Amino acid sequence: MSAYAEVILPLPLYSTFTYAIPQEMAEDTRVGSRVLVQFGRRKFYTGIVAAIHADAPEGYEVKPLTALLDPTPIVRYPQLKLWQWMADYYLCSPGDVYKAAVPAGLKPESETYLSLNPDYDLDELFSGLNEREAEIIRIMTSEKKITLQEIEKRSGIKNAPAILRPLMEGNVVEVSETVVERYRPKIERMVRLTVPRDDQDALHALFDLVSRSRRQEQALVAYLDLSKWLNPMAKLQEVRRQALLDKAGITPGILKAMQDKGIFEVYKKSINRFQDMPESTRPPMELSEIQREALAGIRRSFRDNPICLLHGVTGSGKTEIYTHLIREVLDAGRQVLYLVPEISLTTQLTDRLRRVFSDRLLVYHSKFSDNERTDVWKRLLHGNEPMIVLGARSAVFLPFAQLGLVIVDEEHESSYKQYDPAPRYNARDTALMLASMHGANTLLGSATPAIETYYKATTGKYGLVTLDRRHNDALLPDIEIIDMKDQRKRKENTGIFSSPLRLATEEALASGRQALMFQNRRGFAPFVICRNCGWTPRCANCDVSLVYHKHSDMLRCHYCGYAVMLPPVCPACGENSIDIQGYGTERIAEEVHERFPQYRVGRMDLDTTRNKDAYQEIIEDFSSHNMDILVGTQMVTKGLDFEKVTVVGVLNADSLLNFPDFRSDERAFNMLSQVAGRAGRHADKGRVFIQTNDPASKVLDFVRRHDYPGFYADEIESRRQLQYPPFTRIINIFIKNKESHACDEAALLLATHLRSTFGERVLGPQKPLVSRVNTYYLQCIMLKVEATASMIKVKRILRTIYESLARDQRIKSSTIYYDVDPV
């Protein structure tokens, strides 16, 4: 009987595709297997088998699987269930989820290569070419095969496909597809003895062979020590060539001589990049009485409810409670997923957790290379041993086998939300579903829980445990709201610094303490304007002004990356009257250095943390007091623990307040409370200065009083009246098009059809705050549905409406996508 596989492809397609399973692959092809398939006329993709059946499809010829890439599946069954749930809930395709979930190193794809037809005479060929064609052919003559991207890079010609098309049609240039394998395993050269371990006579003979060379004898003794050869109770250890050279203090030439004598054999081995870890050195720290009570409360909560919220004020020691829970789960033989919202948090936590869990800790996030992420994936796939994975949101996709606990630290953070591309998922909510599928418990931790989470905890859907005191009874910081209008009126401010913040910083630095300055804008200055005519530089692709970066003297768009040099004179009026206004982290760091020249200043934002190690270097420098003042964006607000920080300055709270979004108050309260929580976490009491032009803001008053319950009560009542989450679920439907009028017309057409089904639940369309991004115009329709609504049913209705409009050119020329539960 013929067998067929339903294959998920890494493409935004709303269905699987059926392929015939060749007889020779039938026995080894299983659900979760990685297969190479042809899609279209020439393209090859790596797909995942989602199902196997015997039903031959009708109406088209079925292609066979091209290759089975692994002897065993690379995706576990619970992962496929999670992918389907995400596709249904977040209104995207399984291919979108697959593309986001699996490291690129496990997704070989075909790549188009170009080559010259050898039958053509080059001299005759060049005589009939124009200048640009000749330049491309000259580049191709030096290569047997070359990609289009490489041709454009080396020639500087941007429309190479158009130039090459007539040459391809004339068979001068040939096109071929080659499957490219991106994963490169780490190869180590290993050393082993050429005699059996239990043959003592043979070992003595080897010592006789090296008796005349002290260096060779050292190498043989070093090998026996490293391999534990002489310990019959120990497992024989493989020995790395470099480790042997280092321990014995010998050169490669000496080792080669021993190979020639038949003493050693050197061989290559593919190894995991994360297997060399130190042995565990210490147990978790002792918990305080209040922490022990909280831990007992979490255990009791888990007996009745698999989800528990740990609401603990900043500095209350939540991480130590997590550590004790992790140890219990690992001791029970199960695995743990520990999610954090920012990659920067993995730096501090890795050191703390590795001291306790050693090689049972794996770290996974997007700053790792494809090879490193593939190695983590393979280690989890091929081993069921108890271990902990610490990672950012993408860690929810890993192939866990025995998941027993999921920890979502700082669960309120918007960084858990994937904005673009699809799937636009929230890792917190996805982790809850992942834990449910594994029968695992989930612990959500935060000093400022999301409104929806706290609502579920206080209404009994989740368990709730509260930590209302800091660890070791450290005091919460004093928070002072600074009226910047009054400061300017009295002329007491210096640049962006109010006099109270300036004086407190001077006092802290003089006493050997540190200060943290928070500004949620990177770059040097957010505004550039001509004093004479009012000209402002705007992005060519987006509806935003450009941000000035002084280090590179460039104006940059923070949406699409467009960049131009800062002009010396105004391009509109020709006058030398360009003003740079406002403050980004780059400018603040410069001003801080000028104000406190004798102290060391660091900066932590997207511009200074682009490589994998930058986070760790900045955090280690600040933690070890190689910096005195750290200026940063929201990266510095999230869970970092700096012992010497006693002063925190929020330089412009107004950029967080009064944002046109129903979550703006919640977002402002959370961020300000979290950054305030970086101060005075140990022996010294902290001081926090929040600078604003609106000191009467009720949000700032709640922050000043550390009053989360009061803020929650006020916010939940507002949400109830306006029917916002948690009382409804919001789906933002975005329409984008290269043409402004086509975008507007498509949005109106779609909104009209949505209202015919959903009625008053549909709001809009309206232009978002940034209505053009990367050359596409945008419109947004908000759909409010009941919190209990079936997302599968909603997805089916939305798909039906889209298909009914698909022939309309306005819809056909537009891209439509969905953002479920926007934050």
Side-chain angles (χ1 to χ4, degrees), residues 72 87 238 245 254 288 366 375 392 481 574 647 651 677 742 766:
T72 57
E238 290 189 285
L245 294 176
I254 293 172
S288 66
S366 59
D375 275 346
I481 310 299
V647 171
L651 301 178
Q766 64 179 12

Side-chain angles (χ1 to χ4, degrees), residues 50-229:
I52 296 174
H53 58 83
D55 302 325
E58 297 179 0
Y60 62 91
E61 182 182 352
V62 181
K63 295 176 183 176
L65 301 178
T66 303
L68 180 65
L69 297 179
D70 306 281
T72 57
I74 68 147
V75 177
R76 300 183 189 273
Y77 176 68
Q79 288 176 278
L80 290 174
K81 280 180 62 181
L82 184 71
W83 291 7
Q84 189 58 55
W85 174 83
M86 292 180 71
D88 289 337
Y89 187 86
Y90 291 108
L91 307 178
C92 62
S93 72
D96 288 323
V97 183
Y98 164 38
K99 190 169 184 179
V102 178
L106 292 173
K107 298 195 293 279
E109 293 181 8
S110 64
E111 193 161 315
T112 303
Y113 281 87
L114 306 177
S115 58
L116 288 177
N117 188 331
D119 296 337
Y120 279 85
D121 181 89
L122 285 178
D123 292 334
E124 183 180 332
L125 176 61
F126 274 113
S127 64
L129 299 177
N130 62 39
E131 184 178 338
R132 290 195 296 175
E133 288 174 337
E135 176 62 23
I136 289 175
I137 296 300
R138 267 193 291 272
I139 291 170
M140 294 183 68
T141 56
S142 63
E143 305 284 347
K144 287 186 177 180
K145 287 184 176 182
I146 189 168
T147 65
L148 190 61
Q149 292 79 6
E150 185 64 22
I151 289 174
E152 291 184 336
K153 180 180 176 181
R154 287 165 62 174
S155 67
I157 298 171
K158 297 303 179 186
N159 60 338
I163 297 169
L164 283 165
R165 190 172 295 114
L167 297 176
M168 291 185 218
E169 291 170 354
N171 291 323
V172 176
V173 173
E174 296 178 332
V175 181
S176 62
E177 294 286 321
T178 302
V179 176
V180 179
E181 174 68 73
R182 294 182 177 86
Y183 174 65
R184 296 290 182 269
K186 184 177 180 181
I187 303 297
E188 282 275 14
R189 285 195 284 177
M190 316 296 285
V191 178
R192 61 188 168 207
L193 283 181
T194 57
V195 301
R197 189 181 189 185
D198 56 358
D199 192 339
Q200 294 299 313
D201 291 337
L203 182 60
H204 285 303
L206 294 184
F207 272 103
D208 289 340
L209 280 175
V210 300
S211 60
R212 294 177 177 272
S213 170
R214 183 172 61 85
R215 294 285 192 184
Q216 292 185 14
E217 190 173 61
Q218 284 176 206
L220 186 52
V221 171
Y223 175 85
L224 297 177
D225 183 33
L226 288 170
S227 66
K228 302 191 182 333
W229 183 283

Side-chain angles (χ1 to χ4, degrees), residues 22 25 29 34-38 45 47 64-70:
M25 299 183 197
T29 302
R34 193 169 62 126
V35 292
L36 190 69
V37 296
Q38 183 181 355
Y45 290 98
L65 301 178
T66 303
L68 180 65
L69 297 179
D70 306 281

